[in-house]
Amino acid sequence: MAEQEARFVEDLADMDDFAQWYHAVVRKADMADESPVRGCMIIKPYGYALWEAIQRGLDERIKLTGHENLYFPLFIPMSFLQKEAEHVEGFAPELAVVTIGGGEELTEPLAVRPTSETIIGHTYARWVQSYRDLPLLYNQWANVVRWEKRTRPFLRTSEFLWQEGHTVHRTEEEAEAETLKILNEVYVDFAEKELAIPMLKGRKSTTEKFAGALRSYSMEAMMGDGKALQAGTSHNLGQNFAKAFDIQFLDADGTRKLAWTTSWGASTRLIGGVIMVHGDESGLKLPPRVAPIQVVIVPIWRKDEERALVADAVAAVERDLRAAGIRVKSDWREQTPGFKFNDWELRGVPLRLELGPKDVQKDQAVLVRRDTRAKEFVPRGELAARASTLLTEIQQALFDAALAFRQRRTYQANDFAELAARMADRANLGFVEAWWCGDAQCEAEIKARTQATIRCLPFARSTTATEGACVYCGKPAQEWAVFAKAY
RNA sequence: CGGGGUAUAGCGCAGUCUGGUCAGCGCGCCUGCUUUGGGAGCAGGAGGUCCCCGGUUCGAAUCCGGGUACCCCGACCA
């Protein structure tokens, strides 16, 4: 028995080997499967249900902030990508290109979209005539393809699912406001409230910004191994794409003006984030608000009469919970309760409800939290209310735990030696805040020597000083930067 | 794309060095009985182009050549 248990959890127990643990969770929790195509994954129902929850949460916010959904084609003429110099340089190395269609060589190769700024820019140029047409606030849910050198399930796949928003504005201020609104009111709000992942918000350094953007902003999350995950980006594209695709409008003053555009995206990578932020040695821990199953009912019985008795009680409880808006599932598989307990913990279901003959007798049920494993006996009539309360508490507890972890693993460095030491301490890896002179050279050398990149120049600084010495060169610096190793 | 590792049943593996009763084990799966409040037991059973293509040989999971995919470490990126 002990041996079996050891064998069952062997891959998960060793969280020190985080990469191994991650792969094991993805597979054992039935989130995804491998595909025959390099770098592409099959998202299984349980993983896809989580993605659907993410889509719902983001889509709702995207629409609340005034955007509409539409859809552009998968293929983009190669010439479109070449119109914005920085953009093509950034994406050319990872393009998949179609050269044959219907058995015949195409006159112009078609890129499988790595992102849609170009084809959308081309189209927006026709849609925008007057300042009265602005702003254009559109979003699309799509798949994109980037031929990545190294892939990992959810975190980096050759094909991935995402939403990409593309907007056009009359003024620079309006475009900047849009960019920040998306970051704050859509991405961070969703990630923190629904995924229970605390986010660090900030601006990207020039090196790290989107290819073709004027300024990029991102939200960065700390994973369980202390590495950073860029979880959502919002770009102020300035007039770069408007110039490249000739998006102009006649303004109220009678002059033709170049428009200002933005783009922003969040992807299936968020699923990887949920796994790596909340998971533990028993597997996944899903935030209740996005968990495909919020309460799993494990019925317990010995004899047939008991089973019938329990079945009635389970059906009634299931109805109650469903009526309270809780996503519930009863597990009637022919397995022992112990097996099911472990199985659902592995899948990260926030609350387990045990119901056996003894409970039917006492008109109660047992509720067990996934996060703390705290167990309580609850009278039948109070189950739905208590479950709702617990789900809310778990949601908050997951966020609090993640925030506490990030705070514990966030350091400051005064000089390069301190920064390097932090990045070398694998067991306590995390974010390091430090002054940076703004020189890309310093940024590059830090990266070469420590693997750490500037995740962002955070909006909220943990120092009141406005100036310091660059962590690398020691020269006067005004930028407060967050360094980390990243996925 | 460089360096390292791996590919044998759904999963995890042994066998490969030294070619020939070598198609094996555990878990899982199916059937039956007994079980069921923290990963059940016994009995019987099903399941494999040994990743693919080519070569060497009387004979290849095993040796040689070439692919493909996955994992790890880098460089590149949501």
Side-chain angles (χ1 to χ4, degrees), chain A residues 80-81 84-92 114-115 117-118 210-212 241:
Chain A
F80 281 28
L81 284 154
E84 214 289 333
E86 203 177 313
H87 189 70
V88 69
E89 193 187 331
F91 283 102
T115 179
E117 277 75 7
T118 55
F210 178 75
F241 284 85

Side-chain angles (χ1 to χ4, degrees), chain A residues 53-323:
Chain A
I54 291 172
Q55 285 184 301
R56 276 197 299 276
L58 284 174
D59 201 59
E60 178 191 0
R61 287 169 174 80
I62 287 168
K63 286 171 179 159
L64 277 172
T65 45
H67 305 80
E68 293 176 284
N69 285 337
L70 47 46
Y71 188 79
F72 277 81
L74 171 67
F75 301 117
I76 300 178
M78 276 302 283
S79 58
F80 281 28
L81 284 154
Q82 283 147 7
K83 287 191 178 175
E84 214 289 333
E86 203 177 313
H87 189 70
V88 69
E89 193 187 331
F91 283 102
E94 49 191 65
L95 283 185
V97 180
V98 178
T99 57
I100 295 173
E104 287 175 26
E105 187 93 9
L106 301 175
T107 44
E108 177 174 1
L110 297 173
V112 180
R113 63 181 164 215
T115 179
S116 304
E117 277 75 7
T118 55
I119 190 166
I120 289 179
H122 168 88
T123 308
Y124 280 1
R126 287 193 287 116
W127 291 357
V128 174
Q129 299 291 326
S130 150
Y131 73 96
R132 292 193 175 92
D133 296 328
L134 301 177
L136 236 48
L137 304 173
Y138 298 139
N139 172 69
Q140 78 167 347
W141 288 94
N143 60 336
V144 287
V145 169
R146 300 182 186 178
W147 220 255
E148 298 288 352
K149 306 292 186 194
R150 189 177 176 198
T151 60
R152 291 165 187 272
F154 293 116
L155 300 176
R156 174 163 293 106
T157 45
S158 299
E159 177 193 13
F160 58 92
L161 308 182
W162 76 346
Q163 59 69 218
E164 48 178 325
H166 296 271
T167 68
V168 187
H169 305 268
R170 189 179 176 185
T171 65
E172 180 172 17
E173 298 71 43
E174 198 184 305
E176 180 72 3
E178 163 77 5
T179 311
L180 291 170
K181 180 192 244 186
I182 293 297
L183 183 72
N184 290 311
E185 296 177 30
V186 177
Y187 292 154
V188 173
D189 188 74
F190 169 74
E192 298 196 334
K193 287 187 182 150
E194 314 265 334
L195 302 182
I197 301 176
M199 289 290 171
L200 186 69
K201 299 184 278 186
R203 181 164 55 86
K204 284 293 190 182
S205 68
T206 304
T207 309
E208 298 282 330
K209 79 173 172 59
F210 178 75
L214 181 66
R215 274 189 295 279
S216 288
Y217 300 95
S218 77
M219 59 175 182
E220 305 278 332
M222 185 185 287
M223 302 296 105
D225 60 354
K227 286 167 114 176
L229 185 75
Q230 178 174 306
T233 48
S234 186
H235 316 289
N236 181 338
L237 302 176
Q239 292 180 308
N240 294 342
F241 284 85
K243 267 180 214 144
F245 292 95
D246 203 28
I247 308 174
Q248 294 192 47
F249 63 94
L250 198 56
D251 209 347
D253 62 9
T255 61
R256 282 183 77 71
K257 291 177 181 168
L258 271 179
W260 301 81
T261 67
T262 81
S263 70
W264 25 279
S267 71
T268 33
R269 165 179 273 191
L270 285 169
I271 295 172
V274 169
I275 296 171
M276 291 197 295
V277 167
H278 301 304
D280 65 12
E281 58 290 326
S282 294
L284 277 179
K285 261 189 238 161
L286 295 180
R289 292 189 59 91
V290 292
I293 301 168
Q294 295 172 308
V295 176
V296 64
I297 301 178
V298 177
I300 293 156
W301 75 94
R302 287 164 190 269
K303 304 164 201 144
D304 284 349
E305 314 90 83
E306 285 179 344
R307 183 184 162 130
L309 203 65
V310 169
D312 287 343
V314 164
V317 168
E318 210 175 322
R319 270 197 305 276
D320 285 357
L321 295 188
R322 214 156 261 152

Side-chain angles (χ1 to χ4, degrees), chain A residues 427-438:
Chain A
N428 299 293
L429 197 64
F431 293 175
V432 175
E433 302 170 327
W435 289 106
W436 172 53
C437 63

